[in-house]
Amino acid sequence: DVKVTQSSRYLVKRTGEKVFLECVQDMDHENMFWYRQDPGLGLRLIYFSYDVKMKEKGDIPEGYSVSREKKERFSLILESASTNQTSMYLCASSPSLSMGGYTFGSGTRLTVV
Amino acid sequence: AQSVSQHNHHVILSEAASLELGCNYSYGGTVNLFWYVQYPGQHLQLLLKYFSGDPLVKGIKGFEAEFIKSKFSFNLRKPSVQWSDTAEYFCAVTGGNSGYSTLTFGKGTMLLVSP
């Protein structure tokens, strides 16, 4: 089975901290994604990457950046965490952008206090 | 930008009742359509998908969905729900317009099935 592993299940950070969320996939997928999930808002795409060192903004990139130095790893960075970034963050990988086949990780629940 | 609308945020059913969850999308061109499910405490899983061909798509666990192009709809159905179907359901779409086409999700429908 494809596995997408997110390094932390729960995180609590202080306002203003720099936060790194890590994601690793083990199936050699070209594409990786970061979504945030909020009640009543569904999943919203923050950033995605279609190749190593390549990245594209999603629908809500403000306040976030990403890094993809290796094919299997995609990091989400909150440069200066704020309370409105308290959310569930989901990483996914896929062999294709538009044909679906996204495999999701279990998520990281981030609380910014 | 494309958008996905799910008609109900919360649905409560008794076991053995029939289920239909509505989904409409905004993009008028070629689309790929998906339903995902998230059981309590678990990661998102694919229920079913439609790319082309027969507009009635069967997925896992007895779910099916019908693509009606004229209505821009892709409703999810199940004839008889079980308590174990309690979960959040997300409709999603990718469209073939210019540029990158990633999955756009609806806001989700929380289904609670009472035993």
Side-chain angles (χ1 to χ4, degrees):
Chain A
D1 279 353
V2 176
K3 284 196 177 161
V4 177
T5 303
Q6 295 183 232
S7 55
S8 303
R9 188 75 176 97
Y10 299 94
L11 273 180
V12 180
K13 297 291 182 181
R14 295 195 182 277
T15 301
E17 274 192 79
K18 190 169 186 176
V19 180
F20 292 85
L21 303 184
E22 305 289 345
C23 175
V24 177
Q25 53 99 358
D26 67 359
M27 282 299 288
D28 204 35
H29 284 169
E30 302 293 332
N31 308 286
M32 296 187 75
F33 311 84
W34 277 105
Y35 286 86
R36 66 176 280 177
Q37 182 180 10
D38 299 289
L41 296 179
L43 279 77
R44 294 176 292 166
L45 182 64
I46 304 171
Y47 268 96
F48 69 98
S49 168
Y50 54 90
D51 201 351
V52 175
K53 298 190 186 293
M54 306 305 291
K55 60 185 179 185
E56 290 286 338
K57 293 180 180 179
D59 299 318
I60 52 164
E62 297 78 18
Y64 303 95
S65 62
V66 290
S67 173
R68 194 165 179 205
E69 296 297 318
K70 294 184 178 181
K71 191 175 187 179
E72 67 271 19
R73 187 179 297 270
F74 193 36
S75 303
L76 180 69
I77 303 155
L78 287 66
E79 295 290 341
S80 177
S82 64
T83 55
N84 63 12
Q85 292 179 309
T86 291
S87 186
M88 173 69 86
Y89 290 88
L90 298 179
C91 178
S93 73
S94 173
S96 164
L97 284 180
S98 63
M99 300 301 281
Y102 289 32
T103 299
F104 285 85
S106 298
T108 296
R109 184 166 295 282
L110 173 67
T111 302
V112 182
V113 298
Chain B
Q2 54 191 266
S3 66
V4 179
S5 175
Q6 293 185 236
H7 306 165
N8 307 98
H9 290 164
H10 293 90
V11 172
I12 301 174
L13 295 173
S14 299
E15 273 195 317
S18 64
L19 170 71
E20 182 160 3
L21 301 182
C23 173
N24 287 90
Y25 59 93
S26 62
Y27 181 63
T30 302
V31 293
N32 300 317
L33 296 156
F34 308 84
W35 276 98
Y36 280 82
V37 62
Q38 189 173 35
Y39 298 103
Q42 296 188 27
H43 61 273
L44 271 164
Q45 303 171 42
L46 181 66
L47 263 183
L48 48 77
K49 59 188 176 185
Y50 173 80
F51 294 157
S52 63
D54 188 342
L56 187 61
V57 181
K58 294 193 184 300
I60 61 171
K61 305 188 180 188
F63 286 91
E64 64 180 29
E66 185 175 13
F67 170 54
I68 303 179
K69 189 173 182 179
S70 61
K71 295 185 178 180
F72 298 91
S73 71
F74 190 56
N75 292 355
L76 182 70
R77 300 195 292 247
K78 187 171 185 179
S80 176
V81 294
Q82 301 171 325
W83 176 79
S84 58
D85 293 324
T86 293
E88 190 161 19
Y89 294 81
F90 294 93
C91 183
V93 61
T94 63
N97 55 351
S98 60
Y100 299 104
S101 181
T102 56
L103 267 180
T104 297
F105 285 86
K107 293 183 178 181
T109 298
M110 184 69 73
L111 171 66
L112 175 62
V113 180
S114 57

